[in-house]
Amino acid sequence: MSDDLGFGKLLYDDGLVARLLGKTRKGRNRPLLYGPDLPVVLLTGGPGMGKGRLLRCVRDEFGRHVPAVHIDCAAPAHAERAGQHPSTRSEVTEALREMAVQFGAWSGDGGPIAVPRLYAGLVAVAAGDPLAGSATGLEEVRRHDDLLPRGSFWGGVLHRAFRSYLAALAALLAAQPLATPLITAILDELFERVSSEGKAALEDCYGAYSGAAGHPRLGLHGLSVDFQQGGEGRANAESFLFRALREDVEAAYTSVRGRMARAGRPAVLLDHADNALGRRLLRPVLLDRESGHHDRVVVFATARRADGGRFLYRSTDADADAVASWGPAEGGLPVWQRARGGVAGLVAPARGALLVRMPTLTTEQQNDEVARLQGRGQGGGAGRAGHPGHAGHISHAGPAGHPPGEHASRLRVESGIHRLGGGRPRFVTRLGEGAASLRVREPGAFTDWDLLDAPVRSRDEPEGRPVPVADLLLDDLIVRQLPEELPPEQHDHWLDLLSHLSVAHTGPCAQELMLARQAGRDERLSAYRVAELLADSGWPHCPRHFIGDRGLRHLLMRRLHRMGAQEAWQADHALLRDHFASRFPTATDDQCGTAAAHAAHHHLAMGGAEAAVDHLTGAFPLRDATRTMAEWCEELLAIAGAPCAAPLAGDPDDRHARALGEAPPTGGDWLRRRVDRLLHAVWLYEDRTRPVDQALTGTWRQLLDRLGDEPVPGTEVLTRKAGEWAQLAQERQPLKPCACTRHLG
């Protein structure tokens, strides 16, 4: 994937990033956007939307011209280092320390950024464990030696004298225990040897700590005590340490040398910032700026939920409008200004955030990326000569030669990527990698599921053994990005549960599956809790489909279809069919009109077309006077629609012949035969995993008109539907659109 694929409007010279940082990717100065009160910029988007890639791009491109520190809040290293000495370390202190190291390594204009304020705070915390031996405590203090400031207002005194003091203190401890607490000795020596300018800086910083009353020594001691208390006290201490770091950065820019040598704004880039560590880092910034404690650090953070995360809001109705949101597709630059009124600490933190929606790839960008990957794939191929189950119309491209019908094949593959990927960059790139290994011999017989079966080399497999691209996508988007609140005992079952839920419509429908598939387990998840976890993971909601992202739903359906040689697929649909068949037939159902129609839908997904035809024939107003023609048409669409798309992948498929009347059903009168043709025509069209046959859709008006041959009330509805469906088919749009199937193309 190109590093900046899809980010043009964000990264160009007058884009959001350049205007916030005051520098372009080439290092030219740009007018600063906002300030001095800055929002926290939250890049929002679900898995595979490129949030982390954008942060890395900012670090690598803009980080050559302004200091830009990058922290992955999901990296296990923070917790591992904190666990080595939990009384004086936490994930937050380890992340702050890593930021300080990166600021200290800055080699651009103005040179490294010293962090004396943060250093003093970390030293106080390190020396504050009352239960640790003096030698252990001193070792914790010396761990921060690499953060000792050189030059600046410390005048080099602390760096030389303090290091010598620690060495002498270590020798003393070898002979006899320290008479006074280590933290007292450390702070005494710190304030004895620091320059007057350094004392003033510490006074401004730690003199403002709660209970310090302007005395920095008391502030540092109180911070250490709070950290030892844990809970809210430790959270307050961690918050203040991040403020100290930002004050260090601010001082580097406002000093005489800084004003002359530094330009633009520094950046803190927090990936996976909606997890526990990220929230503990973001919240102090939001609260400080809300209370008027401003700084010039531009904070970019990532969040999977579209609203940025629940931690930004309070349980009041007004909070829904407290956050500003913007997407690159809107053009221009986002207008942001902090809302006035309210009491700091009581208003929603969200009003200090700017939500930036990650852009989806345009059709042109998708095609360019696929072309780039196919060019690479034709040079090396996937290394396999065939692909089981699809040898009749697919093979794997070798290093030489071109497949017949190359243009038609390319268009077919591109259309499949558009539908499955939905512009999600990770989807597009993975599918493009898979497409590079395929040679489509018969584009008309190629389905989107064939694309999901395409082999791609995996670094996790021995010797890079090829695996289906669908498996890699599920690993990228689901297995490696488990919901934070998913119970540990459910981690191994999460992918299986989602696979079963891929055939469900609403919450109650999904709940039936969950009850059956978790029977016998002590720890269970309800479908409604699963829906919350999916939302927290950034997956979109669709009222018509429980798995609200079409690409993800097909990945999961494909997996379910192959579990136990289709046994799981058949069992899940049979379970839902029997459940809805047991209800009163005319009981209303949100998605399928009636319970009987819902049962017929799942029977159809199992290949039981005859039962679906029987239901629609019996429910036709000519036979059932209680039904209106409009209700009947809606039931037809509900029965033949997703998620029963593509259940026949790899199996004999007579839907096309049935729709054209070339393979008529056995038995039945004229009405049943016409309903059978219409059902199969709509079913095949709504499948949308293969090219739309315009000859097939051209029969709709004839089929609908002929259904109205007999004098039935509401036959004018059939004529109107024929026109509406023809128009939708001309635009290649679903007949029953929903949030995840609009604009499939």
Side-chain angles (χ1 to χ4, degrees), residues 124-185:
V125 168
D129 184 1
L131 300 180
S134 298
T136 302
L138 185 59
E139 188 63 30
E140 274 295 287
V141 171
R142 298 194 68 169
R143 176 172 173 263
H144 300 300
D145 279 0
D146 56 344
L147 301 184
L148 281 170
R150 294 160 174 79
S152 70
F153 61 73
W154 298 89
V157 175
L158 181 63
H159 177 60
R160 293 190 302 271
F162 197 57
R163 187 181 295 273
S164 300
Y165 168 74
L166 291 176
L169 188 59
L172 178 63
L173 289 173
Q176 61 184 21
L178 196 62
T180 60
L182 179 62
I183 185 172
T184 301

Side-chain angles (χ1 to χ4, degrees), residues 113-121 147-149 152-154 158 190 201-202 206 244 248:
I113 294 179
V115 292
R117 295 164 182 82
L118 176 65
Y119 169 79
L147 301 184
L148 281 170
S152 70
F153 61 73
W154 298 89
L158 181 63
L190 175 64
L202 291 180
Y206 290 100
D248 281 329

Side-chain angles (χ1 to χ4, degrees), residues 437-621:
S437 69
L438 295 180
R439 177 181 299 163
V440 181
R441 292 176 176 173
E442 299 178 22
F446 182 83
T447 73
D448 293 354
W449 280 25
D450 295 328
L451 180 59
L452 295 179
D453 287 336
V456 176
R457 292 191 183 278
S458 171
R459 295 179 181 177
D460 296 332
E461 293 292 329
E463 300 180 356
R465 182 176 60 85
V467 298
V469 65
D471 293 349
L472 288 184
L473 278 169
L474 285 173
D475 188 63
D476 289 343
L477 305 175
I478 299 297
V479 178
R480 296 179 185 269
Q481 301 194 51
L482 296 176
E484 181 184 10
E485 297 180 6
L486 181 68
E489 60 272 10
Q490 297 288 352
H491 285 187
D492 293 340
H493 308 295
W494 182 240
L495 186 56
D496 285 341
L497 289 179
L498 294 185
S499 298
H500 289 297
L501 292 174
S502 64
V503 300
H505 289 285
T506 60
C509 182
Q511 182 65 2
E512 288 299 319
L513 287 170
M514 293 294 285
L515 291 173
R517 300 308 166 216
Q518 296 185 105
R521 288 189 195 166
D522 293 333
E523 301 292 338
R524 303 181 184 181
L525 288 174
S526 73
Y528 309 102
R529 182 57 179 146
V530 171
E532 289 181 345
L533 294 173
L534 288 172
D536 288 344
S537 298
W539 292 107
H541 171 71
C542 175
R544 192 180 168 202
H545 304 99
F546 188 82
I547 302 296
D549 181 88
R550 185 177 186 274
L552 176 62
R553 188 167 65 253
H554 274 275
L555 288 175
L556 295 169
M557 284 198 301
R558 171 196 170 277
R559 184 174 183 274
L560 180 67
H561 198 259
R562 284 157 172 73
M563 288 171 60
Q566 301 183 24
E567 290 181 5
W569 174 276
Q570 295 287 337
D572 283 346
H573 279 292
L575 174 71
L576 294 176
R577 176 201 62 192
D578 295 344
H579 167 71
F580 287 104
S582 66
R583 298 174 58 188
F584 192 72
T586 59
T588 58
D589 182 85
D590 290 340
Q591 297 302 323
C592 290
T594 64
H598 203 154
H601 165 86
H602 290 290
H603 206 155
L604 183 65
M606 299 168 60
E610 305 306 325
V613 173
D614 288 341
H615 170 78
L616 287 170
T617 302
F620 193 71

Side-chain angles (χ1 to χ4, degrees), residues 249-336:
V249 176
E250 189 70 13
Y253 275 78
T254 57
S255 66
V256 174
R257 183 172 181 270
R259 288 196 297 269
M260 296 177 60
R262 301 185 191 275
R265 290 174 176 147
V268 169
L269 312 173
L270 302 178
D271 200 4
H272 301 105
D274 51 354
N275 70 4
L277 173 58
R279 296 193 298 270
R280 287 158 65 188
L281 291 171
L282 288 179
R283 191 172 181 83
V285 183
L286 291 165
L287 296 181
D288 279 348
R289 292 178 179 178
E290 182 67 44
S291 63
H293 195 95
H294 301 146
D295 59 80
R296 72 185 65 215
V297 177
V298 179
V299 179
F300 288 98
T302 67
R304 291 175 294 179
R305 284 178 62 103
D307 61 4
R310 293 192 297 268
F311 76 101
L312 293 176
Y313 303 88
R314 296 186 185 278
S315 56
T316 61
D317 294 336
D319 289 343
D321 301 322
V323 63
S325 180
W326 174 83
E330 297 176 18
L333 292 170
V335 176
W336 183 87

